[in-house]
Every structure is written in C-alpha cells, then in structure tokens.
Amino acid sequence: MVQLTSRSVSVFVEGADGAGRAGVAVYPGADGTVPTGRQPEGDFLRRLVHRPDAEDIFATGWTRQTETQFSVSARWPRAHRFFAPVSGRHQDPLLIAETMRQTTMLLGHAAFGMPFENQFVMWELAYVSDPDQLLLGEAPWDITVDVSCSRIRRGRRHIGSMHVELLLHRLGAVLASGGGRISCASAEAYRKLRNGRRDAIGAPIPLLPAVAPAEVGRADERDVVLAPGPRHNVWQLRLDTGHPTLFARPNDHVPGILLLEAARQAAVAVTPGHDFLPTSVRTDFLQYVELDRPCWVEARPVPAGDPMATAVHVSAAQDGRPVFACTLESPGPRQDAAHPRWAGQ
C-alpha cells in the first residue's frame, strides 16, 4: 500500500503548447518521492491519463495540498479534431467530463500509487457548468481543477475505490463543478472480472451506417456514434474502433466517453432545432458495454430544473439489461441557433 504524506509534492509540465510539442516533466516515484531525473512529457502524461496521442492530453500537472486534496492544471485547445467548439462560440462541455476523467486517472497513478497495469472503472460522473464561462473569447484556456477525494477504500496494495469532487475554474471564475465515483481493479482481478472478454481487443467490429450528422450535431460522419434504430428516438450504438479519439487505445469494452457522446447526440436528436449544449450532465455507468453485441440507445425529453432549459434522459440497454443512464440539460434557446453547431471540423 502506498502511504500518503502531507508534504507538498508538485508536478509541472514545461514547454507543452497547443501544437502538442513535447516538453519535460518531473513526477513522483512509487514511494511518493520526487526523483531528481527528468522524463519526457509524452511518456509521463500518456501513461498517467491513458491517452496515447498528445492532441488528446489536457492535464498538464498536479500539486498535493493535503493527503486527500489536490490541484491539477489543464489546458484546453481552441480547436480539436473531436472536442470541437460548439457553434463556433462555446467550448465543448464534454471537455469537462474528459478533464475530470484525466484528472482522476492522473491522481490515481501519481498520488495514490495505482500500478499502470491496473484498471479504473468509473461508476458515476456528474457536472454542472456555466455556459457563459464556456464562451471562447480571446484568453488562453488554462484550467485549474481543485480535487477532493473522500470515502477512500484501500486494499492490500492500492486503493480499491473512492469518490472525487472537482471544481474547475479559469481566470478567477468557476467554470464547472462535478464529481464521480471510481473503483480500481488489479490486472489479475480485472482478467477474472472480464472472464475472457479481453479477447475482444482487436477483433473486427462491423461499422454500422450512421444517422445524418446534422441530426446529432456533428459535421463529420466519422464522429457519429448512433445508427438508425427500430423506432422513433431509439438508435443502435455505432462503434468505429479506428476513431483516433474515441478508440485511442485498444479496449475490451465501449469507452465511457463514447457513451457520453452517444447521450449528447441522442439529446441533440430529440431537441427541436437540434440545438443542445450539455452544460449539466448526470451519468451512471451500470455495466460494461460489450463491443460485439448490439447496444440500444433511447432518449426522451424530461422536465428540467430551469423552466427555460431543456432536459433529456438517455438510457442504453444491451442483452435486455440496462447498462448506462444519463440526464443532460441545456440552457434556453441561444441567439446562434441558426449557425452550424460544430465549427472548425
């Protein structure tokens, strides 16, 4: 077991910029100490956040505040091949979810000593954001994420599960707040849990026909994750295992960020005018979603907390069992609704 200490440990990436050029980084060893040697930024961050491509890495460093509180720095791109600006005005709110994911994994490895071969499982994820703070503007997109970890359950050698609360802020203003619940499994426990499903890695998955990109808020068919379904407001999950961001590394199940994107696309599809900005998301990941069996996604409008807002509940089922549920909210109609949703792709 890695024992945490209250002393300050900081990790910063130097020289990284929006073009994805590598800098260098210093990071703690398995005993919690910071070595004097320097390691390439790419090797460091790719392993910590489970993202092999520098273009998809948003976390840039971390600082320990207490045994269970941390500050993580991140940088968002102004344009991205997948997390593109919405209507040319707003950053993609799913950058919040991806930043939360990377932050949690980074701290799991670097602060809590999780071996790289172990597996993280996200069971819950939620955030609420301020749409005004998502406006692109001219200032750089340097983000600070304040993280508080609680209900930490430790196993013999590493943490078994924990809850995380996160506050994202930028330029002195709160951008979003949220949290989640994760569990961590050793490589051996994960193999037993998946019971042979690891064989699915690399197996050919038929690429289903896509719904029209404009119906789900996309400009490019390769980013569409829904295929036509058997009835109104029901779709089959569409998997392109060659997608550079959604399937950036080999996986034996459907990645969580793809399920979130499916929920967003379903919400866009059922919203009049297809104008939906997911500034609030509440998600439960109930089961692993397998790659080689049909998964059905269904969306229905529901009452929102704000009478001017739009809310949609999205559920997914596989083999007759619920596997995913998500409620998304969007603010009221915006003046830019007539513009294409996804600019720059």
Side-chain angles (χ1 to χ4, degrees):
M1 180 188 300
V2 175
Q3 299 293 332
L4 303 180
T5 65
S6 60
R7 60 187 175 79
S8 175
V9 176
S10 300
V11 180
F12 298 104
V13 175
E14 302 171 358
D17 60 21
R21 287 188 286 271
V24 291
V26 180
Y27 64 99
D31 60 354
T33 62
V34 177
T36 56
R38 301 168 79 82
Q39 301 292 333
E41 174 224 355
D43 292 344
F44 166 65
L45 286 178
R46 286 181 180 90
R47 299 189 74 194
L48 288 182
V49 303
H50 297 198
R51 282 294 191 184
D53 193 327
E55 185 175 345
D56 297 330
I57 298 173
F58 306 132
T60 57
W62 68 283
T63 302
R64 186 194 303 278
Q65 306 295 341
T66 71
E67 291 186 359
T68 58
Q69 295 176 309
F70 308 88
S71 178
V72 174
S73 57
R75 180 172 299 159
W76 286 0
R78 288 185 172 276
H80 188 269
R81 63 189 175 200
F82 181 75
F83 298 103
V86 180
S87 302
R89 297 187 63 221
H90 291 88
Q91 286 279 22
D92 182 357
L94 288 196
L95 278 167
I96 300 168
E98 176 62 16
T99 301
M100 292 169 65
R101 187 196 73 83
Q102 292 189 18
T103 293
T104 302
M105 288 186 167
L106 184 155
L107 293 177
H109 289 307
F112 290 94
M114 280 289 295
F116 286 110
E117 65 270 17
N118 286 18
Q119 296 287 330
F120 289 89
V121 181
M122 179 71 77
W123 296 102
E124 300 168 3
L125 185 147
Y127 69 77
V128 177
S129 63
D130 182 346
D132 290 339
Q133 297 302 323
L134 293 171
L135 291 168
L136 281 172
E138 299 296 330
W141 278 86
D142 293 318
I143 311 291
T144 300
V145 187
D146 295 329
V147 186
S148 177
C149 304
S150 63
R151 286 174 274 183
I152 301 170
R153 182 176 62 82
R154 293 180 171 87
R156 289 181 301 171
R157 298 180 180 179
H158 54 76
I159 59 171
S161 63
M162 67 178 178
H163 288 68
V164 290
E165 295 181 2
L166 305 98
L167 185 71
L168 286 72
H169 48 96
R170 170 180 176 263
L171 301 176
V174 173
L175 173 69
S177 61
R181 177 172 65 92
I182 67 163
S183 63
C184 310
S186 68
E188 180 181 0
Y190 186 75
R191 282 193 297 269
K192 292 179 180 179
L193 176 67
R194 297 297 286 145
N195 190 26
R197 296 304 303 175
R198 301 286 286 174
D199 296 340
I201 296 177
I205 305 298
L207 183 61
L208 301 175
V211 301
E215 293 183 9
V216 293
R218 283 292 181 178
D220 195 326
E221 182 178 290
R222 64 186 171 180
D223 294 326
V224 175
V225 298
L226 298 179
R231 62 184 188 274
H232 185 59
N233 292 354
V234 175
W235 305 266
Q236 186 172 349
L237 196 64
R238 178 178 186 263
L239 305 178
D240 178 2
T241 55
H243 194 284
T245 296
L246 296 177
F247 282 94
R249 62 191 183 95
N251 214 323
D252 65 359
H253 60 275
V254 176
I257 193 65
L258 191 150
L259 295 173
L260 281 172
E261 176 62 20
R264 183 245 292 278
Q265 292 188 18
V268 171
V270 301
T271 300
H274 305 310
D275 182 40
F276 192 95
L277 185 73
T279 53
S280 172
V281 167
R282 300 191 308 276
T283 302
D284 291 303
F285 300 94
L286 305 173
Q287 300 282 342
Y288 288 105
V289 179
E290 307 299 350
L291 298 168
D292 57 356
R293 299 203 293 276
C295 178
W296 303 101
V297 178
E298 182 172 3
R300 57 182 175 86
V302 294
D306 180 348
M308 295 298 294
T310 300
V312 177
H313 180 75
V314 179
S315 59
Q318 190 171 61
D319 297 331
R321 298 182 302 171
V323 292
F324 172 79
C326 184
T327 300
L328 311 89
E329 291 195 15
S330 174
R334 302 189 307 279
Q335 296 301 312
D336 63 331
H339 292 270
R341 281 185 51 79
W342 296 94
Q345 285 197 344

